[in-house]
Amino acid sequence: MATLQRYTDRRVLITGAGSGIGQATALRILSEGGTVVAADISEAGLADTTAKAGDTGGRLTPVELDVSSEESVVAGVARAVEVLGGLDALVNAAGILRSSHFTDTTLADFEQVLRVNLIGTFLVTREAVPALRDGNAPAVVNFSSTSASFAHPYMAAYAASKGGIQAMTHTLALEYAKAGIRFNCVQPGSISSGMTDGTGESKQSIGPGLPEDADFSLFTKITPTLPVEGGALFARPDAVAAVVAMLAAPEAYFVTGTEVRIDGGTHM
């Protein structure tokens, strides 16, 4: 349990909070005293997050939200702002991964990844900005990926979506700098989540794994330099949640328009 209390009286909306890194982020910020709306498309995922949070004294509110639907986002963000009485921080953690040989990738699959990851981030952020303008030390943390900067075979759609999020984050950081809203990205890599271990129920947090005939020699660097607990290949989601909590906290007041890679040195 975190001992810091950077989020006392701080109001936070987290998407993709029903599993994986989004859930770990919700639990981390709650542990630091934050008031959180946990949004996810999965009712079961939100129930799991609520159960793991335990007694929060009313500081956690689950909201079902499909980030790929404009109608759902408009209603869901409005609900979050109403429940929270405003908004100080937004974490766009919702996302999916679809892996396939490039020539086997259907237009529908490519568009779905862009729709959830990139357009979903756009929609939620657009609806949240008016409330963030009136927030306390407002901050947005978006989810890019190491795939945005380093080649990850069989993940063209995912890489394109995450590269777009990263570029959009830089644009928004400049556009809203004078309004005092900070925008940053995290770039997770070698992190255990619904997308990497095939668990979870939300279509916005998991996706099929690599093709059965994947050529693993193309993954020239997939092992973290830092040791991982239990000798595992992937680190726990809380490794990313800790960095997200730092970036969205008021103490990171001079950090904006950048990304932090969290991959255990995999891509040094």
Side-chain angles (χ1 to χ4, degrees):
M1 183 68 69
T3 58
L4 296 173
Q5 290 295 299
R6 296 173 293 189
Y7 282 84
T8 302
D9 299 323
R10 193 156 176 77
R11 304 159 295 182
V12 186
L13 168 60
I14 303 170
T15 70
S19 64
I21 300 171
Q23 182 183 80
T25 299
L27 297 177
R28 173 64 187 245
I29 289 176
L30 284 166
S31 77
E32 293 199 28
T35 302
V36 173
V37 165
D40 201 283
I41 196 171
S42 170
E43 181 180 1
L46 291 173
D48 182 57
T49 299
T50 300
K52 288 177 178 174
D55 183 8
T56 64
R59 290 185 294 110
L60 173 63
T61 302
V63 171
E64 288 187 49
L65 174 66
D66 178 358
V67 300
S68 69
S69 163
E70 183 173 21
E71 180 181 11
S72 179
V73 169
V74 170
V77 173
R79 170 64 175 155
V81 172
E82 178 186 15
V83 167
L84 294 169
L87 190 64
D88 302 312
L90 166 66
V91 178
N92 284 305
I96 60 171
L97 171 64
R98 297 288 183 265
S99 302
S100 64
H101 291 285
F102 182 70
T103 54
D104 294 336
T105 303
T106 66
L107 178 59
D109 281 347
F110 198 94
E111 287 181 336
Q112 184 190 26
V113 172
L114 292 180
R115 183 78 193 179
V116 173
N117 296 358
L118 179 57
I119 295 177
T121 297
F122 154 69
L123 288 172
V124 176
T125 304
R126 186 191 67 183
E127 295 306 307
V129 162
L132 287 166
R133 281 183 178 275
D134 297 324
N136 173 37
V140 177
V141 180
N142 291 329
F143 271 63
S144 180
S145 162
T146 52
S147 67
S149 303
F150 302 92
H152 289 201
Y154 313 115
M155 302 179 191
Y158 184 73
S161 71
K162 294 301 184 176
I165 289 171
Q166 191 163 304
M168 181 169 64
T169 300
H170 283 244
T171 297
L172 295 175
L174 181 58
E175 185 171 340
Y176 288 98
K178 291 183 178 179
I181 307 175
R182 297 183 298 105
F183 288 82
N184 291 291
C185 277
V186 287
Q187 286 186 320
S190 300
I191 302 294
S192 177
S193 69
M195 287 190 290
T196 59
D197 61 22
T199 63
E201 299 179 21
S202 170
K203 77 173 185 180
Q204 293 180 356
S205 63
I206 66 173
L210 295 172
E212 291 184 3
D213 61 344
D215 181 356
F216 284 94
S217 70
L218 298 178
F219 293 87
T220 56
K221 183 90 168 133
I222 63 171
T223 304
T225 303
L226 292 176
V228 178
E229 183 180 8
L233 179 62
F234 297 136
R236 298 190 310 267
D238 63 355
V240 180
V243 178
V244 174
M246 180 276 290
L247 289 173
E251 68 180 5
Y253 66 91
F254 210 53
V255 182
T256 194
T258 192
E259 46 278 336
V260 179
R261 193 162 71 243
I262 310 159
D263 67 351
T266 300
H267 297 91
M268 282 196 289

